[in-house]
């Protein structure tokens, strides 16, 4: 979450772009400034906002299940280690982009989304999030508390929880990462979205390393100013780059995701995650992780 709105679709007619611009200008003038979740609707898309400057979630009307924002596509890099997980827990619902993609494209996977704000959950129909069933459940709860529970252990935990002023402190604490590690299956993987502008990143990465050891990678997310953390239980190194690229090419045959560059960034990100001195430099514009 907290990513800039994508550029206008060049295929959209000029009239539609003008109508969308007018909708956006009304949104700027009328949107509340108190962190209340609000939806900007145009002819081509819906977006979720907690303030007027940052986009929490973005949905194409033409293809509601498509991952429009680059960081969400990078977070799907977990497929390189878990191409068909039995269970995924998603901390932070937003507009449901990750939830909808996993629900549609991973038919053998059970998805549980945990969202602390009932006002966000109330928007699920507008963002075309399917109703709960045997494969999907949306839970209104604090994600930091949820992972301390005793329910089934997911292979993947996706952390994308944000408030108007950034990531909640409890989702970047050592206790939270320790609880995620304990909750994950024996070969499980944690994936988290960070803002490059978040000065707490060195603290978060240090807390992750204290729990997961060297089994972690941090890389620039696709087409955005976000970073994606990957941390896993098991061997301290990812598979070889050649292995990851082979997996990416096979997965790209069934997933509309750029997993080949994601595989390269994940592998390079191991070195970044291993160097605490580099953590303080992650937000530099020239960084090309």
């Amino acid at each position: 979450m907290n990513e800039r709105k994508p550029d206008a679709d060049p295929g959209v007619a000029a009239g539609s772009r003008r109508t969308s611009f007018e909708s956006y200008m009304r949104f700027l003038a009328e949107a509340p400034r108190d962190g209340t979740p609000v939806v900007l609707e145009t002819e081509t898309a819906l977006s979720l906002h907690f303030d007027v400057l940052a986009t929490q979630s973005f949905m194409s009307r033409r293809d509601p299940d498509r991952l429009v924002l680059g960081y969400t596509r990078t977070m799907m890099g977990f497929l390189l280690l878990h191409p068909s997980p039995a269970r995924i827990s998603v901390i932070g619902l937003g507009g449901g982009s990750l939830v909808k993609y996993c629900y549609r494209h991973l038919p053998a996977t059970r998805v549980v989304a945990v969202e602390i704000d009932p006002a966000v959950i109330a928007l699920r129909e507008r963002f075309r999030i399917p109703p709960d069933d045997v494969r999907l459940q949306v839970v209104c709860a604090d994600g930091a508390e949820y992972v301390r529970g005793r329910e089934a252990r997911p292979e993947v935990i996706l952390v994308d929880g944000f408030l108007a002023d950034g990531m909640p402190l409890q989702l970047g604490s050592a206790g939270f990462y320790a609880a995620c590690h304990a909750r994950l299956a024996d070969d499980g993987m944690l994936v988290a979205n960070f803002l490059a502008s978040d000065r707490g990143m060195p603290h978060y990465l240090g807390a992750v390393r204290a729990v997961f050891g060297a089994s972690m990678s941090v890389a620039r997310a696709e087409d955005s100013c976000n970073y994606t953390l990957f941390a896993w239980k098991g061997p301290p190194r990812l598979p070889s780059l050649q292995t990851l690229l082979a997996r990416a090419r096979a997965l790209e045959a069934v997933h509309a995701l750029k997993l080949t560059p994601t595989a390269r960034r994940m592998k390079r990100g191991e070195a970044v995650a291993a160097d605490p001195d580099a953590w303080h430099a992650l937000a530099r514009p020239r960084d090309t992780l």
Side-chain angles (χ1 to χ4, degrees):
M1 297 183 181
N2 276 295
E3 184 167 304
R4 69 177 180 84
K5 187 163 71 75
D7 296 333
D9 184 343
V12 175
S16 295
R17 289 200 297 270
R18 181 170 58 253
T19 302
S20 295
F21 176 75
E22 292 169 354
S23 298
Y24 184 59
M25 294 306 294
R26 286 196 302 272
F27 169 76
L28 290 177
E30 300 171 3
R33 302 305 201 264
D34 60 358
T36 301
V38 292
V39 179
L40 168 61
E41 296 195 41
T42 70
E43 290 191 13
T44 60
L46 271 70
S47 54
L48 176 67
H49 304 260
F50 294 151
D51 62 46
V52 298
L53 299 178
T55 301
Q56 301 295 326
S57 194
F58 193 93
M59 184 190 81
S60 165
R61 289 186 184 274
R62 179 180 299 176
D63 189 357
D65 296 338
R66 181 166 65 93
L67 293 176
V68 179
L69 299 181
Y71 85 87
T72 59
R73 296 191 294 271
T74 299
M75 289 183 74
M76 293 299 298
F78 73 78
L79 292 170
L80 297 167
L81 296 187
H82 289 284
S84 185
R87 185 180 178 99
I88 296 174
S89 295
V90 184
I91 308 300
L93 177 65
S97 299
L98 287 165
V99 170
K100 289 187 295 183
Y101 188 92
C102 292
Y103 181 76
R104 176 176 177 181
H105 296 284
L106 299 173
T109 300
R110 181 159 191 252
V111 182
V112 176
V114 184
E115 171 58 52
I116 195 171
D117 189 346
V120 171
I121 296 175
L123 299 171
R124 67 183 292 176
E125 290 187 5
R126 294 178 70 179
F127 283 93
R128 304 190 195 179
I129 300 171
D132 286 8
D133 61 17
V134 295
R135 290 188 47 240
L136 174 63
Q137 182 182 13
V138 175
V139 178
C140 187
D142 183 337
E145 293 299 324
Y146 179 84
V147 295
R148 292 180 170 86
R150 300 290 183 183
E151 297 183 25
R153 301 172 69 197
E155 283 81 11
V156 179
I157 296 177
L158 303 176
V159 182
D160 188 24
F162 283 85
L163 303 173
D165 56 353
M167 189 176 76
L169 292 178
Q170 63 266 32
L171 296 186
S173 69
F176 173 70
Y177 296 127
C180 287
H181 187 276
R183 182 70 176 267
L184 283 166
D186 291 341
D187 60 347
M189 187 173 199
L190 171 70
V191 185
N193 173 39
F194 294 139
L195 296 177
S197 59
D198 192 333
R199 296 181 181 275
M201 278 191 64
H203 168 76
Y204 309 147
L205 296 178
V208 172
R209 190 169 183 82
V211 174
F212 286 85
S215 301
M216 57 185 287
S217 169
V218 60
R220 178 80 79 177
E222 178 188 335
D223 298 336
S224 78
C225 58
N226 295 33
Y227 283 96
T228 304
L229 165 78
F230 300 94
W232 56 92
K233 298 171 79 169
R237 301 288 293 176
L238 288 167
S240 70
L241 178 59
Q242 291 74 19
T243 297
L244 290 176
L245 292 175
R247 293 179 184 179
R249 288 190 289 269
L251 288 164
E252 285 170 342
V254 293
H255 290 279
L257 302 169
K258 298 178 181 178
L259 290 170
T260 295
T262 295
R264 295 185 185 278
R265 290 196 299 272
M266 285 177 64
K267 194 61 181 175
R268 289 198 300 268
E270 285 184 308
V272 178
D275 182 7
D277 291 337
W279 301 347
H280 298 273
L282 289 177
R284 292 179 183 173
R286 64 174 178 271
D287 197 22
T288 56
L289 294 175

